[in-house]
Structures are given as C-alpha cells and as structure tokens.
Amino acid sequence: MLATTASGQSAADKAAVDAAKAQGIVGEQSDGFLGFVKGGGDGALRAAVAAINGGRAQVYREAAQRNGVSPEAAGVAAFQEVIRNRIGSGEYYRDASGNWVRK
C-alpha cells in the first residue's frame, strides 16, 4: 500500500508533481488547485495532478462545512494562507488575474 498524506495523495503522486513543478510544467493556482503551466504532461502526471486536486477538493469541502463558507472560498484561503508560502524559488503560480508568475 502506498503512503498517503492527510489529503489522500500518494508519495508517488507528490514526487511526480514536485518534479514537474521544478521543471515549470505544473504550478499552484490562486484557487488552491494545481494547474499546468505549459503542456499537459504525460498521462501519469495528469493522473497525479488529478489525484492531488481531488484530495484538495475534499479538504476544501470539509473546511468549508466547518467554517460556513463555500468550498471555492476555502480553496482561495488555503492558497493565500498556506500554499503561496510553500511555493519554491523558480516555481510557478497563477495569480488571481490568471497570469502564470515565476517566483
């Protein structure tokens, strides 16, 4: 059985996405989800991004229910309060205007 984090992502999915972030293929979005900066990656990478985004969606739904906000608002708050601070130098994020920015 693969190791998973609290959001349900496997270690393999995390490793694939981390490598793609370092290569500028995948980045963080201001809505709290991962997105493709360029291209769409191969099937395994697309599956890893989908799995992680699915886990994040579940976390955001649970946070929204606890806090009386929409899941979308929970995702935006997660980006602003947690994810943005974890973006590494040279990695990409999509700002609220929809532009990819390199940190």
Side-chain angles (χ1 to χ4, degrees), residues 2 7 12-13 16 27 30 36 42 46 48 51-52 55 57 59 66 69 85-86 88-90 96 98 101:
L2 295 172
S7 63
D13 289 343
S30 61
F36 288 93
D42 61 19
R46 286 191 305 275
I52 290 172
V59 169
R66 282 191 311 273
V69 298
N85 298 328
R86 294 183 180 171
S89 179
V101 178

Side-chain angles (χ1 to χ4, degrees), residues 67-102:
N67 296 296
V69 298
S70 70
E72 293 80 12
V76 169
F79 175 79
Q80 292 172 345
E81 297 170 15
V82 179
I83 297 169
R84 183 172 37 192
N85 298 328
R86 294 183 180 171
I87 298 170
S89 179
E91 293 181 353
Y92 286 85
Y93 66 94
R94 180 176 267 168
D95 64 18
S97 300
N99 300 308
W100 285 107
V101 178
R102 189 172 187 187

Side-chain angles (χ1 to χ4, degrees), residues 30-54:
S30 61
D31 63 359
F33 292 98
L34 296 166
F36 288 93
V37 177
K38 57 184 175 185
D42 61 19
L45 180 57
R46 286 191 305 275
V49 167
I52 290 172
N53 280 343

